Amino acid sequence: MLVVLAAVAWFVVIKPAQQFLANWRPPQTQSQGQTPPPSGNVQAPLTRADVQKFVRVRRDIRAALGESFTGAQEVYTQIQAGQTPNVVQVLNVLRQVGSSIGAARTAQTAALRRENMSAERYAAVRTEINRGLGVPDVDFAKAADALQKGQMPDLNSTVQTASAQEKALVEPFRQELTATAAVGLLGL
């Protein structure tokens, strides 16, 4: 019985989390093909151009994820409904999207380069857009990293209040951004 439990833990929990983390982490070396380095004020106020760039990058990421996006979308819907996902749900999402993360990260890198947007600015814009949409800013990549370190992940689903400007900038893209908001769960 112990051998069976160990095998289940290895193939259902540990291996999917390791695969997810291996695919999620950006490459260690910086080359000419990487995203532009941060320039200017990464924490600058949100602009219409930032939102438009973000939408174009998010479209490329969503296309790269394909069908594996469905599981993340279901968990995200639960979070929006005020439910906190349990560790098993998080691990199932990691297992489902683990193999697609590499392709999504590659698509994100190419799109950020095309849009001349740094990864740091993209993350800051994502946080502001999530506030504008009124959705929590939960990142499963951080949760997976915590699990790998043997810590309980922080799955805080608190929504921060958006400014009137953030809401106004997000509004023209609300439907599309809401439909793809679950991609943010993956740190993308």
Side-chain angles (χ1 to χ4, degrees), residues 97-167:
V97 300
S99 60
S100 302
I101 292 294
R105 178 115 356 242
T106 300
Q108 180 187 37
T109 300
L112 288 173
R113 188 174 49 248
R114 180 190 70 229
E115 299 297 332
N116 196 28
M117 187 180 214
S118 71
E120 292 82 359
R121 180 63 183 157
Y122 179 83
V125 169
R126 181 181 63 223
T127 298
E128 292 182 59
I129 285 176
N130 283 345
R131 270 197 310 260
L133 291 172
V135 297
D137 194 19
V138 178
D139 187 340
F140 275 7
K142 291 178 185 175
D145 195 36
L147 286 172
Q148 188 179 34
K149 293 176 183 175
Q151 302 168 346
M152 268 312 274
D154 178 17
L155 298 174
N156 184 1
S157 59
T158 304
V159 178
Q160 296 178 354
T161 305
S163 70
Q165 180 187 4
E166 288 170 336
K167 289 179 182 179

Side-chain angles (χ1 to χ4, degrees), residues 15-79:
K15 199 66 172 160
Q18 287 176 336
Q19 182 182 10
F20 173 81
L21 287 172
N23 286 325
W24 181 81
R25 287 189 182 120
Q28 296 295 325
T29 59
Q30 295 292 323
S31 67
Q32 292 178 343
Q34 299 301 315
T35 60
S39 61
N41 184 359
V42 173
Q43 297 298 326
L46 188 65
T47 66
R48 182 169 178 77
D50 288 333
V51 175
Q52 290 170 338
K53 287 179 181 183
F54 182 88
V55 168
R56 289 189 295 265
V57 171
R58 184 58 68 82
R59 287 174 185 157
D60 290 359
I61 293 168
R62 171 64 178 98
L65 282 173
E67 293 300 315
S68 66
F69 177 70
T70 307
Q73 183 67 37
E74 289 172 7
V75 170
Y76 193 75
T77 302
Q78 291 176 355
I79 291 171

